[in-house]
C-alpha cells in the first residue's frame, strides 16, 4: 500500500497497464480506509483518505490526457474530428463561415464586378 502522495511526474512515464493497476490499488486502499472510518479508526488514517482521493484523481487525469493525445495523433489527417477534440470557442464562432467560404464569389457577383467595376475618381488634393 502507498504511504505518500503520488507525484504526477512519476505517472507520465508509465504505460496504461501500470496506471490501471495503480488505480486499482489506490481504490482498494481507499475502500479499506473508508471501512476503518466507519469502524472508528484513528484520525491519522482519516486524513489519508484525502490524499488517496487526490492521488486517484491524478492517475485518472494522466490516463485521460494520454488517451486524448493518442486520439489527436490518430485523427490528425482525417477529414472529421470527434466533437470533444474540436476547439470549443463559442457557438457563434463555430457556425461562422470559414476563410475559404468567405472568399468564394458567386458567378452573379463576378459578372456584376466585371460589368460595373468600382469607379476611380481623380480628386484634387488641397494645399
Amino acid at each position: 500500500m502507498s504511504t505518500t502522495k503520488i507525484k504526477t511526474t512519476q505517472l507520465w512515464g508509465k504505460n496504461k497497464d501500470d496506471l490501471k493497476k495503480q488505480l486499482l490499488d489506490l481504490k482498494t486502499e481507499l475502500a479499506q480506509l473508508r471501512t476503518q472510518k466507519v469502524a472508528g479508526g484513528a484520525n491519522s488514517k482519516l486524513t489519508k483518505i484525502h490524499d488517496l482521493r487526490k492521488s486517484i484523481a491524478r492517475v485518472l487525469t494522466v490516463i485521460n490526457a494520454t488517451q486524448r493525445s493518442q486520439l489527436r495523433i490518430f485523427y490528425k489527417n482525417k477529414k472529421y474530428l470527434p466533437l470533444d477534440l474540436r476547439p470549443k470557442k463559442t457557438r457563434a464562432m463555430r457556425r461562422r463561415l470559414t476563410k475559404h467560404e468567405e472568399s468564394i464569389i458567386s458567378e452573379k457577383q463576378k459578372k456584376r464586378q466585371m460589368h460595373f467595376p468600382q469607379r476611380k475618381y481623380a480628386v484634387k488634393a488641397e494645399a
Side-chain angles (χ1 to χ4, degrees):
M1 298 287 173
S2 66
T3 53
T4 59
K5 290 184 198 176
I6 294 173
K7 297 274 192 287
T8 314
T9 51
Q10 299 167 347
L11 298 174
W12 287 113
K14 294 186 177 182
N15 63 1
K16 191 175 180 181
D17 295 331
D18 292 341
L19 290 171
K20 292 274 186 188
K21 185 179 178 300
Q22 188 166 12
L23 182 65
L24 191 66
D25 292 343
L26 289 169
K27 283 185 175 181
T28 53
E29 188 177 352
L30 181 63
Q32 288 174 355
L33 284 174
R34 284 191 170 147
T35 54
Q36 288 176 4
K37 178 183 173 185
V38 171
N43 277 348
S44 61
K45 300 222 179 207
L46 298 181
T47 56
K48 201 173 165 191
I49 290 175
H50 177 265
D51 295 339
L52 267 175
R53 287 178 61 236
K54 299 304 171 189
S55 297
I56 289 170
R58 285 187 190 98
V59 172
L60 285 171
T61 301
V62 170
I63 289 171
N64 289 332
T66 51
Q67 189 175 19
R68 284 176 67 85
S69 66
Q70 291 298 319
L71 283 171
R72 283 191 191 282
I73 292 167
F74 178 75
Y75 283 106
K76 188 167 188 168
N77 295 322
K78 302 275 193 286
K79 185 175 182 183
Y80 296 111
L81 197 64
L83 293 177
D84 60 332
L85 295 180
R86 293 178 194 173
K88 179 81 165 98
K89 299 182 181 174
T90 62
R91 190 168 189 269
M93 287 174 76
R94 290 193 303 266
R95 278 149 182 76
R96 190 181 295 162
L97 292 175
T98 62
K99 296 285 183 196
H100 175 70
E101 290 168 342
E102 284 178 351
S103 66
I104 294 172
I105 301 170
S106 67
E107 284 298 317
K108 186 174 184 177
Q109 190 66 27
K110 284 178 189 172
K111 287 177 185 175
R112 185 179 290 153
Q113 286 174 351
M114 190 187 312
H115 295 298
F116 304 102
Q118 179 74 44
R119 292 188 177 181
K120 297 177 184 76
Y121 294 100
V123 180
K124 181 181 175 186
E126 294 185 34

